Amino acid sequence: MNQEVAQAYWKENIATIIKLLVVWFVVSFGCGILFRDALNSIEFAGYKLGFWFAQQGAMYIFVILIFVYAKMMEKIEEKYDVHE
Amino acid sequence: MGLQALIYLFVGLSFALYIGIAIWARAGSTKEFYIAGGGVHPVLNGMATGADWMSAASFISLAGIISMQGNDGGAYLMGWTGGYVLLALLLAPYLRKFGKFTVPDFVGDRYYSDLARVVAVICVIFISFTYVAGQMRGVGIVFSRFMQVDINTGVIIGMAIVFVYAVLGGMKGITYTQVAQYCVMIFAFTVPAIFLSLQVTDTFLPQLGFGSKVAFHFDDGVRMIDKGTYLIHALDQSIKDLGFKAYTDSISGTFNVFMLTAALMLGTAGLPHVIVRFFTTPTVKGARISAGWALLFIAIMYTSIPAVGAFARLNLIKNVQNVDYQAFSKGEAKHLDGTINNGAWFKTWEQSGLLAWNDRNGDGKIQYAAGAAFEGNGKPQFIDKLGAHGERLTANPKPAHTASAEQMRASGKVVNELYVDNDIIVLANPEIAGLPNWVIALIAAGGLAAALSTAAGLLLAIATAVSHDLMGKVFYRDAKTGLSKLSEKAEMRWARLSSVVAIVVAGYLGIYPPGFVAQVVAFAFGLAAASFFPAIIMGIFYKRMNKEGAIAGMLTGLIFTFGYIIYFVFMGGNKADYLFGIAPTGIGTIGMILHFIVAYVVAQITPPPPKEVQEMVEMIRIPRGAGSASAH
C-alpha cells in the first residue's frame, strides 16, 4: 500500500475520532456536569434534564457512539481498501 | 424452601456451573492462557468484559453510593462507562493490531526499553493487587452475611474457586466462566430491580420507573408526599425536608465532580485487565465492536443502578420514618394504606452492624434525617446489651433531646437517629421491599459472581505480567535475538505458578485487609490514568514520541499521583491544602496532564525513535494484516 493512501486514511480516521469525541464530551462533561444546573430547569416526563444526562442519558449515547464508530470505520476502511 | 436452603442451592448451582465450564475450557498453550487463543466472538467477549469490569463494588456498593449522594453519584456512572468510549476509539483497535499479549508488551516494544517495560509491569501488579484485595473482601462479606460462615472461611472458599478456573483455564477458562457470571449477575440485579420498580412506580423497567410517578402516599416526617408525584420530585422534596441537599443538587461541587469523572474515565481506559480484553478478539474490527458490546452489557446494569438507588432511598424513608421500633421489628407495624410494614430485616442488619438506631428523644420511634445519629466518628460502637425497645445499644455518647415527632414535624427540623451503611442498599433492599426469598438468594449468587469474575481477571493480569513480561521478556531473554528463551511449557509453568502466588496474596489481603481498601481504589484509577493512558495514546498517535519522553512522562505521572494520594489520604494532609481544591480521588486527571506535558517536552530535546519503531507505529495504524496475535 502506498504512503499517500495510508496518510489519507489516517487523516480521515482522526477526523472521525474527533467528531465522535466531541459528542462524548458534550453529553457527559457538558450536559451532565457543566451545564447541569441550566438543563435541570428543563423537565420531560419526570426527569430533570441535566440530572438525566448524568445518571442515564450519557450512558445510552456512549453505547450508540461506539457502534456508530465501528460502522463508520468499516466504511472508511473499505474506501481506502485497508480492511482486513 | 427456607431462605438459607435457597441461598445454598443458588450459590452451589452457580459454582458448579463455573467449575464445569473451567474444566471444559482448559488452556493448552500460552496463547490460550493469555488471550484465550485470540478467537473469542465479539459478543461473548463483550459479555465477559462486562463481567470482568463490574466488580463487587459495582454490584454491592454503587447503588448505595448513588442513593446517598444523589446527583454526584453520576460521576461513577459516567466515569465507569465513558472510559469505554475512549477505549474503543483510541486504544482497542490499535492494540489489537499490535497483536501481542499484554500492556507491558506494548510499552516495552513501542518504547524499545526494558526500563519502560519494568515500570509497566510494576504498575500492572500494583494496580491489580489494590483492586483484587477489595474483591476478595467482597466475597467474604457476601459469604458471611448470606451464608452465616465466617468472613475468612468465605475468602478461602472464594480463593479455591478462582484457583480452579484461573489456574487451569487461564484467559480461556476465565472468559467462558465470565460469560456465565455475567448472566448470573445481570439476572440477579435486574429481577429485584424490576420488582422494586413495579412496587414504587408501577413501571416494569427500572430505567423508566426512574422517571415515573410514585405509586403510594408516604409521610417523610415533615409532610405528606402524595401518590402520583414524580419519583425525582418526591425524593428532592422529602430529603430536603429532612435536612439533606436535594437529590438532584451537587454536594461536592461541579469542579470536583468534573475531575472525579475524568479520572475514572481515563483510569478505566488505562486499566490493564480491561485493555487486555481487546487482545482476545480475532480481528481489529472485532476489537471495536467488542468494546461496543461490552459497554452495552455494562449499561444494562448501570442504567438500572441509579433507579435502584432512588427507589431504595424513597423506600427507606417510607418504611422507617416515625415507625414504632418494637412493633416494626415484630412485624406488626403498618403502612399508611394498611399493609404490613415488616421490619424483620432491620433486626437482621442491625445484628450485622450495618444499621443502628439511637433513640435520642426516647419516644420509641425511629427518625431518619441528615446528620450523624451517633457521636464520635459517626459509627456505632456496639456493646453487648439491648435497650428498652430491644435495640442494640452502643458505647457512643447519646446527645439526647426532647422534641417529639409532632414537634419536629411542626418545626420542620427532624433529628437523625439512624445509622445506615451504604452497602445495605443493594444487599437489604429486597428484604426492605418485602420481596420473595428466592430473589434474596439471587442477590447472594449475583454478588459472588461479580466479585469472582473481577478477581479472576485481575489475577490473570498479574500472572501474565510476571510470567510473560518479567520472566519471558526481561529475565530469560536471549540477548541476541531479543526473544524469550523460555519454552512454551516453561512459560506456562511460570504463568500457573504466579497465578497461585497471586491468589494466595490476594486471599491474604482479603483476610487481613490493609484497613483502607476503599481509599486505595482511588489509587488504582489515579495511577492507571496517570501512567498507562497517556503512554499508550502517544505511542499510537504521536510517532515522534521516544523512550526518553515516555519514561519521563510515566514517572512524572506516577510519582505526582502517588505522592498526592499518599500525602492526603494516608499522612493526614489537610483538605485546605488540596491543589486547586481537587480531592485525591480526582487527582489522576492532573497526573495525566503532567504526563502529557513532560513527555512531549522531553521528546523534543532527545533523539527520535529508531526507524523500526516508527514503522511499527505505521503498521498498527492500518487494520489490514492483523492476523492472529503472536508471542514474538
Side-chain angles (χ1 to χ4, degrees):
Chain A
M1 183 188 10
N2 73 48
Q3 206 61 33
E4 267 166 50
V5 175
Q7 269 179 12
Y9 161 74
W10 187 245
K11 247 182 141 173
E12 194 160 344
N13 177 23
I14 300 277
T16 310
I17 293 175
I18 290 174
K19 266 185 253 164
L20 295 171
L21 284 184
V22 167
V23 178
W24 165 82
F25 186 87
V26 168
V27 298
S28 54
F29 292 99
C31 302
I33 301 175
L34 297 174
F35 310 122
R36 186 183 59 86
D37 289 331
L39 289 175
N40 271 353
S41 58
I42 305 170
E43 286 195 29
F44 73 100
Y47 295 106
K48 290 186 175 179
L49 198 55
F51 179 77
W52 178 78
F53 266 108
Q55 303 226 332
Q56 297 206 299
M59 292 190 279
Y60 296 134
I61 296 166
F62 292 158
V63 175
I64 296 169
L65 273 182
I66 299 183
F67 283 104
V68 166
Y69 164 71
K71 201 85 220 144
M72 286 170 87
M73 288 310 290
E74 226 172 279
K75 278 206 184 121
I76 295 173
E77 277 158 18
E78 268 173 33
K79 178 171 151 197
Y80 290 97
D81 193 31
V82 293
H83 54 285
E84 295 156 277
Chain B
M1 210 186 293
L3 177 58
Q4 275 312 308
L6 274 172
I7 291 176
Y8 276 104
L9 180 73
F10 279 32
V11 171
L13 280 179
S14 65
F15 280 12
L17 176 67
Y18 307 153
I19 291 175
I21 293 173
I23 293 170
W24 167 73
R26 277 189 317 275
S29 65
T30 48
K31 197 174 159 192
E32 286 188 342
F33 195 91
Y34 293 144
I35 58 169
V40 181
H41 189 277
V43 176
L44 291 185
N45 191 51
M47 224 181 245
T49 310
D52 199 325
W53 181 235
M54 294 189 285
S55 60
S58 291
F59 192 92
I60 299 172
S61 310
L62 190 51
I65 293 173
I66 293 171
S67 188
M68 294 304 158
Q69 295 188 354
N71 172 78
D72 292 2
Y76 295 94
L77 294 167
M78 288 188 287
W80 284 340
T81 53
Y84 274 83
V85 178
L86 297 176
L87 265 171
L89 271 57
L90 301 176
L91 306 178
Y94 311 107
L95 291 175
R96 175 61 194 82
K97 177 68 198 300
F98 169 67
K100 298 209 179 156
F101 293 162
T102 67
V103 174
D105 251 348
F106 178 80
V107 172
D109 285 8
R110 169 61 181 84
Y111 297 119
Y112 45 101
S113 150
D114 272 349
L115 179 60
R117 195 186 301 271
V118 172
V119 172
V121 169
I122 294 170
C123 288
V124 170
I125 293 177
F126 188 83
I127 292 170
S128 305
F129 264 128
T130 33
Y131 229 100
V132 86
Q135 304 308 316
M136 282 306 183
R137 197 69 191 160
V139 172
I141 289 172
V142 174
F143 265 104
S144 72
R145 288 191 196 148
F146 287 103
M147 303 168 88
Q148 267 99 56
V149 293
D150 181 54
I151 286 200
N152 297 352
T153 318
V155 170
I156 291 168
I157 298 173
M159 280 165 64
I161 301 283
V162 174
F163 179 87
V164 171
Y165 66 78
V167 175
L168 263 186
M171 186 58 120
K172 194 174 167 204
I174 286 181
T175 302
Y176 292 106
T177 327
Q178 281 169 337
V179 171
Q181 282 163 335
Y182 177 81
C183 299
V184 171
M185 182 189 318
I186 198 72
F187 189 67
F189 198 88
T190 309
V191 169
I194 290 174
F195 269 105
L196 278 171
S197 184
L198 284 171
Q199 216 178 46
V200 177
T201 65
D202 277 335
T203 310
F204 186 79
L205 282 180
Q207 284 85 346
L208 299 180
F210 198 30
S212 302
K213 292 171 180 167
V214 179
F216 44 69
H217 305 282
F218 70 101
D219 176 3
D220 71 11
V222 174
R223 82 183 77 214
M224 203 62 149
I225 305 282
D226 287 331
K227 180 174 169 175
T229 314
Y230 278 117
L231 176 72
I232 307 281
H233 292 235
L235 261 178
D236 271 352
Q237 183 64 55
S238 57
I239 69 174
K240 259 198 326 214
D241 284 344
L242 301 179
F244 298 97
K245 270 206 159 182
Y247 201 73
T248 53
D249 270 354
S250 180
I251 300 169
S252 61
T254 302
F255 183 60
N256 260 315
V257 173
F258 188 97
M259 295 310 276
L260 175 59
T261 309
L264 295 176
M265 277 193 191
L266 301 163
T268 301
L271 283 176
H273 74 286
V274 176
I275 296 176
V276 73
R277 281 295 166 178
F278 300 101
F279 290 75
T280 60
T281 57
T283 59
V284 171
K285 194 169 129 190
R288 289 192 197 111
I289 283 283
S290 187
W293 286 111
L295 187 59
L296 176 68
F297 290 124
I298 293 168
I300 292 173
M301 185 154 131
Y302 269 45
T303 48
S304 55
I305 286 178
V308 168
F311 299 149
R313 188 76 177 272
L314 201 76
N315 255 343
L316 182 72
I317 298 170
K318 175 196 171 203
N319 289 350
V320 306
Q321 194 67 286
N322 286 331
V323 72
D324 182 272
Y325 180 90
Q326 219 157 7
F328 185 48
S329 56
K330 283 188 190 141
E332 290 161 2
K334 289 206 168 111
H335 291 300
L336 292 176
D337 62 2
T339 52
I340 294 288
N341 179 11
N342 187 346
W345 59 269
F346 197 98
K347 273 274 173 225
T348 319
W349 295 93
E350 198 183 0
Q351 215 52 47
S352 71
L354 295 182
L355 263 183
W357 173 52
N358 189 0
D359 191 12
R360 290 162 67 180
N361 61 356
D363 67 352
K365 292 178 181 170
I366 301 170
Q367 273 96 34
Y368 171 63
F374 292 86
E375 293 226 315
N377 65 357
K379 295 207 167 169
Q381 282 124 29
F382 292 102
I383 51 174
D384 224 2
K385 263 194 206 150
L386 295 183
H389 310 281
E391 79 274 21
R392 288 183 78 187
L393 291 179
T394 65
N396 305 56
K398 198 173 173 182
H401 69 97
T402 53
S404 72
E406 285 322 307
Q407 284 164 330
M408 288 192 270
R409 179 188 306 280
S411 69
K413 284 202 182 89
V414 182
V415 181
N416 188 27
E417 297 185 341
L418 191 66
Y419 167 81
V420 189
D421 186 292
N422 284 346
D423 284 356
I424 75 162
I425 293 293
V426 166
L427 296 178
N429 217 352
E431 293 167 79
I432 298 177
L435 301 183
N437 279 349
W438 62 270
V439 177
I440 300 168
L442 258 185
I443 294 266
L448 286 171
L452 290 175
S453 58
T454 307
L458 289 161
L459 289 167
L460 194 77
I462 296 170
T464 311
V466 172
S467 66
H468 180 72
D469 298 308
L470 212 55
M471 292 302 157
K473 293 288 179 70
V474 179
F475 287 137
Y476 289 98
R477 187 176 51 186
D478 195 309
K480 270 188 218 134
T481 61
L483 301 178
S484 167
K485 282 192 287 192
L486 288 176
S487 68
E488 174 95 4
K489 270 203 164 150
E491 200 174 310
M492 279 286 274
R493 268 202 304 277
W494 274 111
R496 292 207 157 107
L497 182 70
S498 34
S499 22
V500 172
V501 174
I503 289 172
V504 172
V505 175
Y508 179 87
L509 291 173
I511 293 173
Y512 303 101
F516 43 80
V517 172
Q519 290 101 309
V520 292
V521 171
F523 250 138
F525 279 90
L527 293 183
S531 60
F532 287 132
F533 182 73
I536 299 174
I537 290 287
M538 287 185 292
I540 298 163
F541 291 91
Y542 187 45
K543 219 192 300 176
R544 176 69 174 71
M545 183 47 62
N546 57 11
K547 76 170 174 196
E548 290 83 359
I551 293 171
M554 277 204 280
L555 290 177
T556 310
L558 273 180
I559 293 168
F560 171 79
T561 310
F562 197 83
Y564 195 87
I565 297 178
I566 291 276
Y567 180 72
F568 286 108
V569 176
F570 302 112
M571 287 169 45
N574 192 338
K575 262 189 170 183
D577 300 335
Y578 281 174
L579 181 68
F580 310 126
I582 302 169
T585 38
I587 200 65
T589 312
I590 301 291
M592 180 209 69
I593 294 171
L594 287 177
H595 180 157
F596 272 120
I597 296 172
V598 169
Y600 183 80
V601 171
V602 171
Q604 300 311 305
I605 50 175
T606 44
K611 200 157 174 293
E612 317 84 86
V613 171
Q614 302 200 23
E615 278 164 8
M616 184 188 104
V617 176
E618 267 164 28
M619 179 281 283
I620 60 173
R621 289 177 175 184
I622 306 290
R624 174 158 293 171
S628 71
S630 66
H632 306 299

